[in-house]
Every structure is written in C-alpha cells, then in structure tokens.
C-alpha cells in the first residue's frame, strides 16, 4: 500500500507553486544524520518507498530511520489515447512537494560511515541533488 493521506477535503488538487525555499523541516531534528534536498520538484510515493528500502537494506536493521516528508498532493492522469476535453483525469498517484532545504530522511544510532553509505544509496533513487547533513550539537 503506497504512502497516501487517509482522507482529504478535495480529491483533486491544483499543480501549485514550487517556488522559494523550504521554510520549515530544514534541520536534523530526530536523528544524527539527514538527507537534505538541494533542488525542487515532486517526490512520488514510489521514490519515498524506494529510498526507505535502500536505507533499511544498507543499515541491516541497525539504527532508526525517520521519514520527514509525506505525499499530501494528488496527481491526476488521463487514460492513454484519450481525446482532449471530458474534464480532469482520475487521481493517479500522490507526491510530496520538495523545495531546497527540505530534510527528506534521517537516521539515528549508526556510525557516520554507515549513514553516509545509506544516504548515498537512497540519493540514487531520486531525480534531484541532495547532501548529507550532520546534527548540530548546539541545537
């Protein structure tokens, strides 16, 4: 079952704006190391799941993984070879809106080398640039 909201006020959403930088969720809050995005775009439920699996497989059930994003936005798609008109398509998938600075994943309880490797493998599943961020001890 993919990540998606239990219920929403409206089934279909507008595309919206991806301009600007992330205002919140930009620091390492739960773990020791985080994967931070440097680009903007949409991150699909499949990408989130692929990253989660890659991190968990790399860490071999050690440590704890935190997913800091959630796909709240519905994306619609028309059936293939459909003529124009006839309204907006059915909901196809869900995405999280990603802006520069968003913390995507965090890991705790593992050494830096293991965290760096896990985040590297996760970043390969994404279509945008990311970087590893370490928790600031003076937070």
């Amino acid at each position: 079952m993919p990540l998606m909201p239990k219920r929403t006020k409206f089934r279909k959403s507008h595309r919206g704006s991806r301009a600007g930088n992330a205002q919140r969720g930009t620091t390492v809050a739960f773990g020791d190391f985080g994967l931070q995005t440097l680009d903007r775009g949409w991150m699909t439920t499949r990408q989130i799941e692929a990253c989660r699996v890659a991190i968990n497989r790399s860490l071999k059930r050690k440590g704890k993984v935190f997913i800091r994003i959630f796909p709240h936005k519905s994306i619609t798609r028309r059936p293939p070879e459909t003529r124009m008109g006839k309204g907006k398509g059915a909901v196809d998938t869900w995405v999280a809106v990603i802006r520069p600075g968003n913390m995507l994943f965090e890991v705790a309880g593992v050494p830096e080398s293991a965290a760096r490797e896990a985040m590297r493998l996760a970043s390969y599943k994404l279509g945008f640039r990311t970087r590893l961020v370490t928790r600031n001890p003076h937070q």
Side-chain angles (χ1 to χ4, degrees):
M1 191 70 188
L3 222 51
M4 60 188 282
K6 284 191 180 74
R7 57 184 298 274
T8 56
K9 191 167 184 180
F10 299 104
R11 276 189 314 134
K12 301 173 182 179
S13 64
H14 291 184
R15 290 182 186 276
S17 167
R18 290 176 252 184
N21 295 330
Q23 299 298 309
R24 46 175 58 90
T26 58
T27 59
V28 180
F30 302 101
D32 302 319
F33 306 98
L35 188 67
Q36 188 178 44
T37 178
L38 303 173
D39 289 339
R40 68 187 73 249
W42 287 341
M43 191 167 169
T44 65
T45 57
R46 287 175 169 213
Q47 285 175 314
I48 296 170
E49 180 63 13
C51 288
R52 186 191 68 79
V53 168
I55 292 169
N56 284 337
R57 285 206 177 134
S58 173
L59 296 180
K60 297 189 174 71
R61 294 176 55 198
K62 291 180 174 63
K64 180 152 177 58
V65 179
F66 300 90
I67 303 174
R68 293 287 307 274
I69 50 169
F70 188 82
H72 289 289
K73 184 187 225 18
S74 61
I75 300 300
T76 62
R77 185 160 289 154
R78 305 293 311 280
E81 299 179 17
T82 308
R83 293 190 176 185
M84 292 284 106
K86 306 279 191 293
K88 191 169 180 170
V91 172
D92 179 54
T93 186
W94 295 83
V95 298
V97 178
I98 303 297
R99 293 190 174 93
N102 272 128
M103 198 61 64
L104 305 178
F105 298 93
E106 291 181 21
V107 292
V110 293
E112 181 171 0
S113 58
R116 191 172 290 281
E117 175 66 10
M119 294 304 190
R120 183 182 68 83
L121 293 171
S123 71
Y124 290 159
K125 309 292 182 196
L126 302 173
F128 36 83
R129 296 174 304 136
T130 58
R131 68 177 178 185
L132 183 81
V133 182
T134 309
R135 175 190 278 279
N136 181 2
H138 307 297
Q139 277 181 316

